[in-house]
Amino acid sequence: MIAVIYWSGTGNTKEMAELIVKGIGGADEVVLKEVAKASTDDVVNADKVVLGCPAMGAENLEEDEMEPFVESIEELVAGKKLALFGSYDWGDGEWMQEWQSRMADKGAVMIAEGLIVNGTPEDDSADLCVNYGKTVANFK
């Protein structure tokens, strides 16, 4: 089972999550959840976990829902196949690089480099999201 868990403020990261699920297709059972409805069990019971959050403020994770969730799973990701994604409007993706390093340092097996999309995923960036889902589905 693949768990895709995300936080979205403007809808861009939600749209990315839906495109990633489309890319995963029928290859595996997929559970798509907003982080407010997710639990640590979703991570524990998944074969692969895909987390999404846009850059907030000074390139940080959203701090009321996503950051506490990430903190709650940090000790559960060792050996877990994990991928990250999110949208941004400014900056250079530093939040994604830091998030990826943080999860890898906790022992997560990173499926791919974190996917970032500027603004709304359209055209080429929408294709990137679908292809990211295919990468997740095909990762052994």
Side-chain angles (χ1 to χ4, degrees):
M1 188 262 291
I2 300 174
V4 179
I5 300 168
Y6 69 92
W7 185 90
S8 188
T10 63
N12 292 342
T13 302
K14 177 182 181 185
E15 202 169 321
M16 289 179 74
E18 291 167 348
L19 289 163
I20 289 167
V21 167
K22 179 181 175 184
I24 293 169
D28 292 283
E29 178 189 352
V30 180
V31 174
L32 176 64
K33 287 189 175 186
E34 292 181 35
V35 70
K37 296 175 182 164
S39 72
T40 55
D41 286 344
D42 293 310
V43 173
V44 170
N45 295 327
D47 301 308
K48 299 173 190 170
V49 178
V50 185
L51 301 175
C53 185
M56 302 294 290
E59 290 207 62
N60 299 310
L61 294 177
E62 187 278 330
E63 57 189 30
D64 292 328
E65 294 178 28
M66 195 65 180
E67 178 60 38
F69 183 76
V70 171
E71 286 177 7
S72 76
I73 65 166
E74 279 184 332
E75 302 307 319
L76 304 174
V77 298
K80 189 70 68 176
K81 297 169 186 164
L82 183 75
L84 305 173
F85 68 95
S87 62
Y88 69 102
D89 288 327
W90 63 89
D92 63 2
E94 185 180 333
W95 102 99
M96 184 59 68
Q97 294 164 8
E98 289 177 2
W99 192 12
Q100 216 171 268
S101 293
R102 178 179 174 187
M103 295 292 97
D105 289 348
K106 293 295 183 179
V109 177
M110 301 310 294
I111 293 172
E113 187 174 321
L115 175 65
I116 61 174
V117 168
N118 186 276
T120 304
E122 301 174 316
D123 304 321
D124 289 347
S125 60
D127 292 341
L128 286 173
C129 294
V130 172
N131 288 331
Y132 198 72
K134 290 177 182 176
T135 298
V136 169
N138 293 324
F139 188 82
K140 298 297 177 204

